[in-house]
Amino acid sequence: MAQDCGEVQLKEVSSDKQQPDNQQKATGIPLSRKLCYAIGGMPYQMTLNAKAFFMPIFLLDVVHMQPYYVSIILFLGRAWDAVTDPLVGYAVSKSGRTRIGKLIPWIVCSTPLGVISYIMVWHTPQENMSAVSSFCWYFFWICLFDTFLSCYHVPYSSLNMFLGGNDRDRDSATGYRMGMEMFATLLGAAIQGQIVGVHHAKKANACSHLNNSEALTDNDSVTLDPNFTSPDTTLQNTRQAYLISALVIGAFYFLCCLVLFVGVKEQLAPLSKLDRIQVPYLTGMKMIVKHTPYLWLVFGFFFSSVAFQLAQSNFALFSTHAAGMGAYFQHLMLILLIAATLSVPLWQMVLVRLGKKTTIFMGLSIYIPSLIILTSVKGSFLGFALTAILAGTSLATLFLLPWSMLPDVVDDFKVKNPSFTDLEPMFYSCFVLCNKFGGGLSNGVSTLALQFVGYQPGACRQNPRVITTLQVLFAPAPIVLLLIGMLLFFFYPINEQRRQQIQTELQKIV
């Protein structure tokens, strides 16, 4: 990839010239660089959450794909990520430094291909496709997009370690990034939700008309609304709406990459040279997975991420078929994401005062009563909206805290293994893998469960077993997974005292 971008190797810089670069951490990170870095994270969350919220209902109710095929696409697509993320991380680590840096060329070169493949994910080439053709089309484009997204996001997330400044500056940059990524999630949901939500609402109303007319006896009469359209009539418009929303999000994807390229310059981090790593892939991975704080953080993040994404991936289906809120789910989703976006600065202030480990327990625990209430409140938009605000507040901690804790783990690894340098992309690639694989696992298990209980794609009404399954997937299962994640975070060994000790030891080594 780096060679395709026209990599130009720089001559190795002498050690006396590297020292001033390392001393840049004392000057801090300029606000403009933090903002440009934060904007660069928007494409990942915009596209990933648009897929998480809308891909299941798109494939099931718009494409009319059987749940079995949907589960394979969503799960194997993430399994493909499980292969590409660590490999991309290693490829980035092995690539040399160019005129514009080591990480940024990967971001820039992958962007046009990522935009094109994302648009094709939401394109239906024919009105009626065979089951096998439809499966092959969407599986190919989803895997291709996930590959280019890995080529973008793995080096981007690693860039946090190369912005300059000290650990407090990096935490601040992470706070800006997560705030902007939450805004990106909100923006992506608003774009896609408002464009396609109108058509989903029309289908819900059409289904309501059909259900009411079917309930009438032979002696009853019914006068349909003159503006009534059947569910099938809106299908083509719905497919066009998904494609239009993909084009708009793709344009934002490109613009955010441009801002990052213009506004961010890579800086040297302590004990890092931004040069090619010399250790083999398996040796580097072995060193990383043997690092105990990293394992506790990764697995805690994995189970917590699966819990959130399981509820997220079933939100539209649960609202439509189990809660009677099919015409309003896009508005409820926006309310949840607005609450999450506004909560990021609040949790940033809390973690500064109370520490990261305490803050993540506080934030995640709020999600449990939120899910219980959401499954209990049916048909009440106000009740759903108020509870969605509570759930969004908790969602913000999953965006902010694990990514804020990861640089501390990398610094701890550097202190304990000073001879292993420039492994940051491999650390971050495995961390990204957990989030993506968790999403694929939650989507795959959900749709496979719906297949077994007899979900009918595109149907206005589902059988009681489908309703019960959606209720279980939306609340009890995520709660159990979240409790496991919180237990793993309990054993995470880096508290505030240890974090300060790591920074002191790191300064001595440098």
Side-chain angles (χ1 to χ4, degrees):
M1 173 97 181
Q3 291 178 349
D4 294 340
C5 295
E7 174 185 313
V8 180
Q9 298 295 331
L10 297 181
K11 294 181 179 180
E12 185 173 354
V13 184
S14 61
S15 59
D16 59 328
K17 290 184 180 180
Q18 291 175 7
Q19 185 64 25
D21 287 329
N22 286 333
Q23 290 176 350
Q24 287 182 0
K25 62 182 179 297
T27 63
I29 303 175
L31 178 61
S32 60
R33 190 186 304 164
K34 292 180 183 178
L35 291 175
C36 291
Y37 167 71
I39 291 173
M42 293 178 66
Y44 176 74
Q45 292 299 340
M46 288 181 71
T47 56
L48 194 68
N49 282 278
K51 285 176 59 184
F53 275 116
F54 291 98
M55 187 57 67
I57 197 170
F58 171 74
L59 293 178
L60 289 170
D61 286 358
V62 179
V63 179
H64 290 178
M65 188 181 294
Q66 291 297 319
Y68 173 74
Y69 288 111
V70 175
S71 65
I72 294 177
I73 287 177
L74 297 179
F75 179 74
L76 290 186
R78 294 300 179 158
W80 174 253
D81 264 346
V83 176
T84 58
D85 277 331
L87 292 179
V88 169
Y90 183 70
V92 173
S93 300
K94 289 290 288 185
S95 61
R97 199 174 179 185
T98 70
R99 293 184 185 276
I100 60 174
K102 174 180 178 176
L103 305 175
I104 290 180
W106 284 80
I107 298 172
V108 172
C109 293
S110 64
T111 294
L113 300 173
V115 170
I116 293 172
S117 57
Y118 179 76
I119 293 170
M120 298 304 294
V121 164
W122 302 99
H123 173 57
T124 305
Q126 298 178 8
E127 184 175 351
N128 294 312
M129 298 176 64
S130 66
V132 175
S133 298
S134 182
F135 169 82
C136 293
W137 172 268
Y138 290 103
F139 182 68
F140 172 77
W141 286 111
I142 285 175
C143 288
L144 199 63
F145 169 71
D146 287 339
T147 301
F148 292 130
L149 189 63
S150 295
C151 293
Y152 180 99
H153 193 251
V154 169
Y156 168 77
S157 56
S158 305
L159 193 58
N160 177 264
M161 301 296 296
F162 303 99
L163 295 175
N166 54 28
D167 61 312
R168 293 291 183 181
D169 295 316
R170 293 200 308 266
D171 287 346
S172 175
T174 301
Y176 279 98
R177 170 193 164 188
M178 293 308 159
M180 198 62 71
E181 288 193 1
M182 282 305 312
F183 175 72
T185 303
L186 172 62
L187 183 62
I191 292 170
Q192 185 138 336
Q194 296 307 307
I195 292 176
V196 306
V198 174
H199 300 283
H200 281 294
K202 286 181 179 179
K203 180 187 174 182
N205 292 331
C207 286
S208 177
H209 278 286
L210 290 177
N211 291 337
N212 290 335
S213 63
E214 290 171 2
L216 295 174
T217 64
D218 293 337
N219 296 326
D220 292 326
S221 62
V222 59
T223 302
L224 291 178
D225 189 331
N227 296 322
F228 167 76
T229 55
S230 69
D232 292 336
T233 306
T234 63
L235 183 59
Q236 277 301 108
N237 293 333
T238 305
R239 290 176 176 175
Q240 292 176 3
Y242 272 101
L243 183 58
I244 292 171
S245 64
L247 289 169
V248 176
I249 291 176
F252 275 101
Y253 190 149
F254 182 81
L255 289 175
C256 291
C257 175
L258 182 62
V259 171
L260 176 71
F261 174 71
V262 172
V264 177
K265 182 180 179 181
E266 297 175 26
Q267 310 289 325
L268 290 182
L271 302 181
S272 297
K273 301 177 181 179
L274 276 176
D275 207 346
R276 298 177 186 271
I277 62 169
Q278 302 301 321
V279 298
Y281 175 75
L282 292 179
T283 302
M285 288 300 299
K286 183 179 179 180
M287 292 297 299
I288 290 173
V289 299
K290 286 173 61 177
H291 192 54
T292 303
Y294 185 66
L295 290 180
W296 288 118
L297 180 61
V298 163
F299 283 109
F301 179 56
F302 173 76
F303 280 97
S304 301
S305 178
V306 172
F308 276 83
Q309 293 189 71
L310 188 61
Q312 180 188 49
S313 63
N314 288 285
F315 183 74
L317 293 171
F318 173 81
S319 300
T320 300
H321 300 295
M325 303 296 292
Y328 307 102
F329 80 86
Q330 70 273 14
H331 305 305
L332 295 168
M333 182 176 58
L334 285 180
I335 292 172
L336 185 149
L337 295 176
I338 289 172
T341 303
L342 297 177
S343 299
V344 170
L346 172 65
W347 290 119
Q348 179 69 24
M349 291 188 293
V350 173
L351 75 85
V352 171
R353 289 180 175 272
L354 302 180
K356 300 175 183 179
K357 190 172 179 178
T358 302
T359 304
I360 198 168
F361 275 99
M362 291 175 56
L364 295 181
S365 61
I366 298 174
Y367 201 60
I368 296 176
S370 302
L371 292 179
I372 294 174
I373 296 173
L374 282 173
T375 53
S376 304
V377 179
K378 295 182 179 180
S380 172
F381 179 80
L382 180 60
F384 255 77
L386 293 176
T387 311
I389 293 174
L390 196 64
T393 303
S394 179
L395 177 62
T397 60
L398 188 70
F399 271 79
L400 176 63
L401 269 301
W403 289 102
S404 181
M405 298 159 76
L406 182 57
D408 299 332
V409 172
V410 177
D411 285 342
D412 183 64
F413 179 85
K414 289 181 178 181
V415 168
K416 295 177 180 177
N417 305 277
S419 60
F420 287 84
T421 61
D422 296 301
L423 293 179
E424 289 87 352
M426 297 182 68
F427 271 100
Y428 278 84
S429 65
C430 293
F431 208 64
V432 172
L433 180 153
C434 288
N435 190 43
K436 293 183 177 180
F437 186 74
L441 184 63
S442 61
N443 287 331
V445 170
S446 298
T447 50
L448 194 59
L450 292 176
Q451 168 75 23
F452 284 128
V453 297
Y455 182 89
Q456 296 296 321
C460 289
R461 288 186 295 185
Q462 302 291 339
N463 67 63
R465 290 188 302 165
V466 171
I467 306 302
T468 302
T469 301
L470 286 172
Q471 291 172 337
V472 172
L473 292 172
F474 188 71
I479 289 174
V480 172
L481 292 168
L482 187 60
L483 290 174
I484 295 174
M486 293 174 68
L487 179 63
L488 293 169
F489 279 127
F490 177 79
F491 292 101
Y492 174 70
I494 301 180
N495 53 23
E496 283 303 296
Q497 181 179 0
R498 173 56 185 161
R499 191 177 68 83
Q500 294 175 5
Q501 182 182 0
I502 290 171
Q503 295 305 313
T504 302
E505 295 176 1
L506 196 61
Q507 292 297 328
K508 293 179 180 179
I509 296 175
V510 174

